[in-house]
Amino acid sequence: MAEKRAEILDIAVTLADERGLAAVSMRAIAERVGVTPMALYPYIGNKTALLDAMLGHLLGQLQPPGAEAAGAGGAGGPGGAAEERGADEAGEAGTWRERLGAIARAARAVVTAHPWAAELVFARPAVTPDSVRTVDLLYTALLEAGVAAGEVPRLERMLSTVVIGFAASEAGGRFGAAEDPRGFRGMLPDGTLPGHAQLATALECPVDWDAEFEADIADLALLIEAVARRGAP
Amino acid sequence: MAEKRAEILDIAVTLADERGLAAVSMRAIAERVGVTPMALYPYIGNKTALLDAMLGHLLGQLQPPGAEAAGAGGAGGPGGAAEERGADEAGEAGTWRERLGAIARAARAVVTAHPWAAELVFARPAVTPDSVRTVDLLYTALLEAGVAAGEVPRLERMLSTVVIGFAASEAGGRFGAAEDPRGFRGMLPDGTLPGHAQLATALECPVDWDAEFEADIADLALLIEAVARRGAP
DNA sequence: ACCTGAACACCGTTCAAGT
DNA sequence: ACCTGAACACCGTTCAAGT
């Protein structure tokens, strides 16, 4: 009963990894399962519920070691290495800075391994047990950093937004070929881009996205310390 | 020739505003235009190009006054009030803090007025002339704040990510009913959520999202100042 | 209890014809 | 130059049958 659901979910995730979210259709899943599309419905409800479950399946892998009990679908699947590295780093040891960094890196690694997740994550509240547990780890880290209780939930949302948004921008293409607007310089009505002009040399070298992510994490930690210093608002 | 394209785009945007992005089909647009679906292709290319153009149409309204020349589609459309308020605030006057805040509020207002934009914005680089101009305003503001040139593009991306991510989370539902996890407390394997427990009172009151957005903007300004103080890395 | 098959109301897009 | 109509290869989902 539950194994069949897990099998369907596993096949759906594999399909998304291989051919993108657009290729995840009831008909395509059914073909791989070896069954009629309609036979899927008792197990997954409908298409929206399937997408929810696929995202939940992924978020479950963001947890620190010890949290993942039995079950959780067929062993492995593609991209498993990145997830496990991420999950290992997201444990409860270390300073709040290390733990926040580990969770952030794990989240980015999951989206890198499963880019289709970026298309789903902004449309669903973090209400699964796995998500709530990750949020709890962030709450604990922020409290330990000295952030006032009244500011913790907001800061958690801002942190998550930066991390998820960064990963989604990478996976989706927003951090694309936009950084060399030289082709536009002449075609603007007023003809000038003063900011770009002042940054000409800085905009010429290609971006190291790993380094940028680390710099963003470091700056967020800086912000958290500043908020902690100022105390309750 | 160009008027027909503008008419098609306007109808597509109106359709998305009224019934969501999923309702924007070639067939539905064609019906409102009063034409066969195939008659649209010479004007818009294909579905992906249509979505690109729809987003571009919106981003054009994020510009400060003076930037919008003639053209730019049919006058008005639904939600015009919010956009115009946003556009008015995003001008070039004031301190860098005021200008950053104005651009951020304008961007959020656009997504609030057209929630479907949130589904598109992470998947497309900011390469249209309108987008590049907005990025240039952010560059200029960051330079004025004293941020080192080598850090400006990264900080611009982080800023945009927070603002776009916040708006997308609101519009998409990520900032949903997740803030009351009391129902989950008992169903977790280890049974405890220490972070949530410490925040019990803070998590009980409903969130004022306008205030949260303003607090996020203020904190980003704080971070910009800290980065400016530390100078080049 | 579990699955199938036909059907319904949709998609985006191609291609040959029309005027 | 601009548009139509039929067709192709898809969708998610309902519903009545099958075993």
Side-chain angles (χ1 to χ4, degrees):
Chain A
M1 42 190 294
E3 316 125 29
K4 198 105 186 188
R5 185 183 145 86
E7 186 202 344
I8 293 169
L9 238 73
D10 239 54
I11 285 175
V13 166
T14 305
L15 207 47
D17 288 342
E18 287 176 4
R19 308 207 268 120
L21 204 59
V24 178
S25 71
M26 296 306 215
R27 284 167 156 97
I29 296 165
E31 198 186 9
R32 290 209 182 183
V33 176
V35 95
T36 276
M38 283 313 101
L40 303 174
Y41 279 78
Y43 298 101
I44 55 115
N46 57 27
K47 184 78 186 285
T48 306
L50 170 72
L51 297 176
D52 280 341
M54 286 171 67
L55 190 64
H57 194 237
L58 245 54
L59 295 180
Q61 299 172 323
L62 219 155
Q63 288 314 117
E68 69 273 5
E83 287 149 25
E84 275 156 50
R85 187 183 63 80
D88 283 351
E89 285 178 12
E92 304 206 18
T95 66
W96 64 264
R97 283 178 93 114
E98 288 164 349
R99 270 146 47 213
L100 282 187
I103 294 170
R105 278 182 282 267
R108 179 171 174 243
V110 167
V111 178
T112 303
H114 309 280
W116 49 269
E119 294 175 52
L120 303 175
V121 79
F122 278 108
R124 284 153 176 84
V127 290
T128 66
D130 286 323
S131 304
V132 173
R133 202 153 32 196
T134 301
V135 170
D136 200 77
L137 290 177
L138 296 172
Y139 283 170
T140 308
L142 289 171
L143 286 166
E144 195 176 313
V147 175
E151 302 244 64
V152 165
R154 177 179 69 81
L155 236 55
E156 185 279 324
R157 281 187 286 268
M158 186 163 140
L159 244 62
S160 315
T161 300
V162 172
V163 171
I164 293 172
F166 188 98
S169 298
E170 281 186 295
R174 186 171 81 95
F175 289 167
E179 297 316 310
D180 187 1
R182 275 169 291 190
F184 287 107
R185 204 161 284 175
M187 64 182 286
L188 290 169
D190 57 356
T192 51
L193 287 172
H196 286 77
Q198 284 180 74
L199 296 172
T201 55
L203 289 174
E204 247 155 54
C205 46
V207 181
D208 177 344
W209 297 110
D210 287 352
E212 171 140 342
F213 189 71
E214 291 300 325
D216 281 1
I217 290 175
D219 276 357
L220 287 174
L222 206 74
L223 176 60
I224 289 164
E225 280 171 348
V227 171
R229 260 196 308 278
R230 101 180 150 216
Chain B
M1 41 191 294
E3 316 125 28
K4 197 106 187 186
R5 184 182 146 86
E7 187 202 343
I8 292 168
L9 238 72
D10 239 54
I11 284 175
V13 166
T14 306
L15 207 46
D17 288 342
E18 289 175 4
R19 308 207 266 120
L21 204 59
V24 178
S25 71
M26 296 305 214
R27 285 166 156 97
I29 296 166
E31 198 187 9
R32 289 208 182 183
V33 178
V35 94
T36 275
M38 284 312 101
L40 302 174
Y41 278 79
Y43 300 101
I44 56 116
N46 58 27
K47 184 79 186 284
T48 307
L50 169 73
L51 297 176
D52 280 341
M54 286 171 68
L55 191 64
H57 194 237
L58 244 55
L59 295 179
Q61 299 172 324
L62 219 156
Q63 287 314 115
E68 70 272 7
E83 287 148 27
E84 276 156 50
R85 187 183 63 78
D88 283 351
E89 285 178 12
E92 305 206 18
T95 67
W96 64 265
R97 283 178 91 115
E98 288 165 349
R99 271 146 47 215
L100 282 186
I103 294 170
R105 276 182 283 267
R108 178 170 175 244
V110 167
V111 178
T112 303
H114 309 279
W116 48 269
E119 294 175 51
L120 303 175
V121 80
F122 279 107
R124 284 153 177 84
V127 289
T128 66
D130 287 322
S131 304
V132 173
R133 203 152 32 197
T134 301
V135 170
D136 200 78
L137 291 177
L138 296 173
Y139 283 170
T140 308
L142 289 171
L143 286 166
E144 197 177 311
V147 175
E151 302 244 65
V152 165
R154 176 178 70 81
L155 236 56
E156 186 278 323
R157 282 186 286 268
M158 187 163 139
L159 244 63
S160 313
T161 300
V162 172
V163 171
I164 293 171
F166 188 99
S169 298
E170 280 186 297
R174 187 173 80 95
F175 289 168
E179 298 316 310
D180 187 1
R182 276 168 291 190
F184 287 107
R185 203 161 284 176
M187 63 183 287
L188 291 168
D190 57 354
T192 51
L193 287 172
H196 286 77
Q198 283 180 75
L199 296 171
T201 55
L203 289 173
E204 246 155 55
C205 46
V207 181
D208 177 345
W209 297 109
D210 288 353
E212 171 140 344
F213 189 71
E214 291 300 324
D216 281 0
I217 291 175
D219 276 356
L220 287 174
L222 206 74
L223 175 61
I224 289 164
E225 280 171 348
V227 171
R229 260 196 309 278
R230 100 180 150 217

